[in-house]
Amino acid sequence: MTLRTDPSALAPQRLLVFEVRGAIANFATAIRRVPGLELIDEEELEGDDKDKSPEAYLLVPDTVALHNILSLWKRWTTGQELGTGFAPWRDVFATLREIRVWGPSDRVQEGDREILAEEIELMGEDQSLIIEIELVFRASEGLAADTERTVIGEIAAAGGALVSRCRIPDIAYHAILARLPVAAIRQIAERSPSGISGLDAVMHIRPQSVALPVEVDDTGEQAGLIPPPPSNGEPILAILDGVPVSEHPLLRGRLSVDDQFNLEPLAVVEERTHGTAMSSLVVHGDRNVSEPPLGRRIHCVPVLGEADQFPQDRLVVDLVYQAVTAMRRDADPTAPSVLIVNLSLGNVRKPFQGRLSPWARLIDRLSHSYGILFCVSAGNHAEPFDITSIATMAQYEATTQPDRATRTLEALSQLVTSRRLLSPSETVNGITVGAANIDAVSDAQRRTARNRVDPYHSMVTANPSSSLGPGFANSVKPDILMPGSREHLTMVASGAGLSVRPAGPARPHGLKVAAPPRAGAAGMEHYTNGTSAAAALASRTAHRIHDALEAEYGERFLALTLHQRAVILKALLVHTAVWPMDSAELIKSVLGPANPRQHVRQRDNIRRFLGYGVVDASDAIYCASDRATFWASGSLAPETRRPIVVPLPACMSGQALPHAVSATLAWFTPVQPGRQSYRSVRLSLLTSEDIDQFRVLPAKSQPDTNQAGRGTVFSRRWEGSKAPALAQNSTVELVVQREPDRGPRIDELVPFGLAVTVTMPSVAEVYSQARARITPPVRARARTR
């Protein structure tokens, strides 16, 4: 028998739920002593130490075994002897809060129950509500059809009706969208075993998904006409978003809109805010910054319809699945060259609580299957919060830094468990993007802000509304931060303590984007912010990295497979991310722990807010004379390794100057719900002893090695200031290694991308000497700083 952390693809009628209390390590140790019982994915069970008690799921062979274990548990909880041979179970029971059979409380999670109860509170008995019902997945199509008929029959008996259905075997997903009367919804909210929540064929019941809104404000001047890009060149980037104003002067001729779900007629032109803003950011970036537009068209598939919301008659997982598979299907693909997908969307009703959502599982599967880098917004939390140490807004505004930043962070530190990632940003293969408080607003414009206060003035950090990590299996999430505007706070109430909320975007603090027509005026611009905007800028940066590699290497780069190019972009996108030291030090001082020996927990708290850090888009794209970045691509079979030899420029030898080596490894893991471990393939990056000649040590300003090794991107940095001792042909060898597969062996080759940078600021020969040692040679694409 095996204990697993994900109940997907397991049979609930033979499922026991183990609620763990205390340390996971104690539970795992006790499990190892029970003959025939194995904990498959201890790493995934660990999760976040701020979570309530984690759960593991035991699928027993039959109902006899199920009742035997429950009987043992009952005897132990009542103080009875367990009998000869059951001593190991006693140690397991001592680490548990509860053992119970899978039931209504598992099918209807507490957060979902609260939403459903609130939804029907003011509804009449003659009204109805649409909900999502995920069924127990059956691999057999015949059994799946029987399961579906059973549930649809129960829905009809309760006075409801089927709205839509979706079954995706690749992610063990089978769900229906159903309309139910208030009485039936009330039974579900009460977790009644006699209602639909008591059906063995039902896995989960959730409220219908609601799209993460994008805030916009302060319509400004009219944009000038931008010439369309050349017609040649297949799109490499797709946007899944709302219907854009494709004839806006900034977007005309730059989007290929594939309205495969016929949502355009439902979207009023004046309300096409989300898709227009995200398209503008991808194509042009923040219009407060003078950057050239992307040189290729963008493939756009609307998945938001009326009022920038998901259509009520489709499951969002179904929409995304159909949109992406249409791009890359074998027959008549709509966008066969796409390898970047921007997903500035999220389900505000589905915060991540340790278990992957079906939407995240879908992204992981599509990434691996098609070689697509998904850039996903982490999600925003714009709810008010209290700064109890300050009484009024005037007092808050009068505080100086770092006191104001400290008080703000102290307030947010009490809310970390309620400001989690929003589905699907817990994706394992995708890049999750949080919002940094960065924009290009001039100081003169910033001074025009009224009744709003910048909580982190002069400091670079995560916005107050940006979702916090960690991700699945305690991995680094968000992966990176990108500009999301310098978010201000506005007062909600004052008195015994100050209540504030993140203010919406405006001219003094926002990213400038294309706007839908207002009052008959077309071609206008306004301002936006948040993680949706940050994800769009991350997708744009990935596209620009691809453009730079294509310009320098031509067919040598384009000849790589889509999978290889996608993981190279993934590595290079994360590669320049660093923790802003003033922000990292503030987080450490506020969240602690104060004991310097607990540096792992200190870094854990920092990466909760910052991930790997803030990305420098310019460094990711352009060269500099005192820095050289190498990239490599390859594929690894099971339990193999690949040495990567990096030349070290001799000009750095003997120079007692600050210098560094950084390396970022990225890949897409095969995933399969129901497999013994969800993240089936793990790669590691090893260093050889020859790095010692470079006189560097692991940097302190980065996630702990154990934290960084839990996802599908691994980024490390080594720093020093003592003079390296290098010869003309000195190198450092890095080894990319594929660890033993967790669970059944996976024979397929796994592509990886690796980026390595050596730098010594102010030593101008670093790039030229490194370039000279690469065969075949490449030409420089330097930028004047």
Side-chain angles (χ1 to χ4, degrees):
M1 296 186 294
T2 57
L3 276 161
R4 300 182 181 180
T5 61
D6 187 352
S8 303
L10 303 180
Q13 65 269 27
R14 293 189 285 114
L15 207 58
L16 284 175
V17 182
F18 283 43
E19 294 184 7
V20 182
R21 64 177 174 84
I24 295 299
N26 296 338
F27 173 65
T29 300
I31 289 295
R32 294 189 192 103
R33 299 188 183 123
V34 179
L37 184 61
E38 182 181 7
L39 178 62
I40 290 297
D41 36 16
E42 176 184 346
E43 179 185 86
E44 295 174 3
L45 184 63
E46 287 183 16
D48 181 12
D49 61 5
K50 296 188 181 296
D51 279 330
K52 60 181 181 180
S53 62
E55 295 175 350
Y57 304 93
L58 178 64
L59 184 66
V60 297
D62 49 45
T63 55
V64 174
L66 183 145
H67 290 300
N68 284 344
I69 295 173
L70 288 176
S71 176
L72 282 175
W73 169 251
K74 183 177 180 180
R75 289 163 62 185
W76 187 82
T77 56
T78 56
Q80 301 178 52
E81 290 294 326
L82 297 185
T84 305
F86 291 110
W89 279 101
R90 179 193 58 209
D91 296 335
V92 172
F93 293 160
T95 67
L96 300 178
R97 189 186 307 275
E98 180 68 275
I99 295 181
R100 54 182 170 78
V101 178
W102 178 277
S105 62
D106 301 289
R107 297 185 181 98
V108 188
Q109 298 291 311
E110 180 58 26
D112 298 329
R113 188 199 67 78
E114 291 175 356
I115 292 172
L116 292 174
E118 183 179 346
E119 287 266 291
I120 64 173
E121 185 176 4
L122 300 178
M123 294 176 65
E125 293 297 315
D126 59 337
Q127 292 182 284
S128 60
L129 188 69
I130 295 177
I131 61 170
E132 300 177 7
I133 302 175
E134 187 176 349
L135 308 181
V136 174
F137 182 77
R138 307 293 189 187
S140 163
E141 290 189 11
L143 290 176
D146 291 342
T147 297
E148 186 176 290
R149 277 193 295 270
T150 298
V151 176
I152 292 174
E154 293 293 333
I155 289 170
L162 173 70
V163 176
S164 182
R165 62 175 297 280
C166 177
R167 182 173 181 269
I168 307 174
D170 282 349
I171 61 169
Y173 178 71
H174 189 183
I176 59 178
L177 203 60
R179 184 181 295 277
L180 283 168
V182 166
I185 299 293
R186 186 176 295 111
Q187 273 192 316
I188 292 171
E190 293 171 352
R191 296 167 170 162
S192 170
S194 59
I196 292 174
S197 55
L199 296 177
D200 285 342
V202 170
M203 197 74 186
H204 297 293
I205 302 175
R206 303 184 178 97
Q208 188 170 20
S209 299
V210 173
L212 180 71
V214 63
E215 291 200 68
V216 293
D217 201 359
D218 209 359
T219 301
E221 66 275 8
Q222 190 165 13
L225 181 64
I226 305 295
S231 58
N232 60 330
E234 291 281 340
I236 63 167
L237 189 153
I239 300 175
L240 306 187
D241 212 283
V243 179
V245 181
S246 56
E247 288 302 307
H248 191 286
L250 293 176
L251 302 178
R252 188 176 302 151
R254 295 187 171 274
L255 304 180
S256 297
V257 180
D258 177 16
D259 186 22
Q260 60 178 280
F261 305 116
N262 200 31
L263 297 177
E264 192 166 5
L266 304 177
V268 178
V269 174
E270 289 76 10
E271 296 178 355
R272 298 178 183 179
T273 301
H274 206 295
T276 303
M278 297 307 109
S279 297
S280 177
L281 284 167
V282 168
V283 172
H284 299 283
D286 178 7
R287 289 273 293 161
N288 280 320
V289 181
S290 179
E291 288 184 350
L294 295 180
R296 295 175 185 250
R297 287 176 180 259
I298 305 302
H299 185 72
C300 181
V301 183
V303 294
L304 303 180
E306 184 178 3
D308 271 341
Q309 273 300 324
F310 300 122
Q312 286 201 323
D313 61 349
R314 296 289 290 268
L315 290 152
V316 64
V317 173
D318 186 24
L319 290 171
V320 174
Y321 177 73
Q322 297 296 337
V324 176
T325 54
M327 296 179 206
R328 300 285 290 277
R329 62 195 173 204
D330 293 335
D332 193 26
T334 58
S337 299
V338 161
L339 72 161
I340 307 163
V341 170
N342 184 76
L343 204 58
S344 292
L345 301 173
N347 181 4
V348 297
R349 291 176 162 179
K350 186 59 179 171
F352 174 62
Q353 296 289 351
R355 193 180 303 160
L356 287 164
S357 65
W359 194 355
R361 300 203 313 260
L362 175 66
I363 289 174
D364 291 338
R365 181 69 180 186
L366 294 173
S367 293
H368 168 255
S369 298
Y370 293 125
I372 292 176
L373 173 60
F374 283 86
C375 294
V376 186
S377 57
N380 305 316
H381 294 271
E383 305 85 5
F385 61 94
D386 297 331
I387 305 178
T388 56
S389 60
I390 292 180
T392 66
M393 197 67 171
Q395 181 183 344
Y396 181 59
E397 189 172 8
T399 57
T400 58
Q401 299 293 27
D403 185 37
R404 186 193 302 165
T406 299
R407 292 174 186 246
T408 304
L409 189 61
E410 285 173 344
L412 290 171
S413 69
Q414 304 301 311
L415 304 171
V416 291
T417 57
S418 62
R419 304 178 84 80
R420 299 299 180 87
L421 303 170
L422 298 182
S423 169
S425 63
E426 73 273 22
T427 166
V428 172
N429 279 334
I431 291 294
T432 301
V433 188
N437 64 333
I438 299 172
D439 57 33
V441 173
S442 67
D443 290 339
Q445 284 181 312
R446 205 168 313 274
R447 282 193 291 269
T448 63
R450 296 289 182 268
N451 303 316
R452 302 179 179 195
V453 177
D454 182 352
Y456 299 121
H457 176 66
S458 78
M459 178 183 294
V460 175
T461 187
N463 271 333
S465 67
S466 190
S467 290
L468 306 178
F472 179 67
N474 211 23
S475 59
V476 174
K477 290 286 177 179
D479 296 276
I480 58 175
L481 301 184
M482 294 289 289
S485 93
R486 181 168 283 278
E487 191 170 72
H488 284 44
L489 298 177
T490 186
M491 185 183 74
V492 175
S494 62
L498 177 66
S499 179
V500 296
R501 65 172 176 82
R507 191 185 304 267
H509 47 88
L511 308 180
K512 193 175 183 181
V513 296
R518 293 285 190 275
M524 302 299 288
E525 295 179 276
H526 56 186
Y527 297 85
T528 190
N529 68 344
T531 62
S532 290
L537 292 178
S539 295
R540 171 179 169 82
T541 302
H543 194 300
R544 295 178 68 197
I545 293 171
H546 188 283
D547 292 345
L549 294 174
E550 181 181 1
E552 299 311 318
Y553 300 97
E555 287 302 318
R556 289 166 51 205
F557 175 66
L558 296 178
L560 298 174
T561 66
L562 291 175
H563 283 78
Q564 289 175 316
R565 279 190 276 157
V567 291
I568 290 169
L569 297 183
K570 182 176 179 178
L572 287 168
L573 182 60
V574 178
H575 188 55
T576 65
V578 294
W579 286 352
M581 286 312 301
D582 55 352
S583 176
E585 287 299 322
L586 176 66
I587 296 169
K588 185 171 71 172
S589 68
V590 172
L591 276 75
N595 186 346
R597 294 183 179 180
Q598 298 200 41
H599 56 86
V600 173
R601 289 186 60 195
Q602 291 174 347
R603 295 188 192 184
D604 175 63
N605 285 324
I606 296 170
R607 59 105 189 204
R608 184 186 298 276
F609 283 80
L610 303 180
Y612 281 112
V614 179
V615 168
D616 188 322
S618 295
D619 282 358
I621 297 161
Y622 297 105
C623 302
S625 61
D626 57 2
R627 182 183 72 240
T629 296
F630 308 84
W631 60 270
S633 177
S635 297
L636 289 176
E639 297 183 50
T640 58
R641 52 168 47 194
R642 181 71 59 84
I644 308 291
V645 178
V646 180
L648 298 177
C651 62
M652 304 170 84
S653 184
Q655 305 250 35
L657 297 171
H659 57 284
V661 180
S662 55
T664 304
L665 173 67
W667 70 99
F668 295 141
T669 180
V671 294
Q672 181 63 57
R675 197 194 294 272
Q676 290 184 354
S677 179
Y678 181 80
R679 187 186 59 151
S680 304
V681 170
R682 294 183 300 164
L683 304 187
S684 59
L685 186 64
L686 310 177
T687 57
S688 56
E689 292 182 357
D690 54 15
I691 199 172
D692 294 341
Q693 65 184 314
F694 203 48
R695 308 296 294 275
V696 289
L697 294 171
K700 296 180 179 179
S701 56
Q702 60 184 337
D704 180 76
T705 305
N706 183 52
Q707 298 164 356
R710 292 173 175 263
T712 57
V713 61
F714 181 86
S715 193
R716 306 305 297 157
R717 181 178 175 86
W718 299 266
E719 313 178 313
S721 56
K722 295 181 179 179
L726 305 177
Q728 287 294 325
N729 60 347
S730 289
T731 62
V732 59
E733 182 179 276
L734 303 176
V735 177
V736 180
Q737 179 169 289
R738 180 168 168 180
E739 303 296 334
D741 295 337
R742 309 187 75 183
R745 176 185 171 98
I746 299 173
D747 290 327
E748 65 181 283
L749 297 176
V750 174
F752 69 85
L754 177 67
V756 182
T757 294
V758 293
T759 181
M760 182 176 273
S762 78
V763 177
E765 297 82 9
V766 171
Y767 181 87
S768 58
Q769 289 192 9
R771 184 180 53 148
R773 294 182 60 188
I774 296 294
T775 304
V778 297
R779 63 184 186 279
R781 187 171 182 257
R783 180 177 76 113
T784 303
R785 287 184 174 270

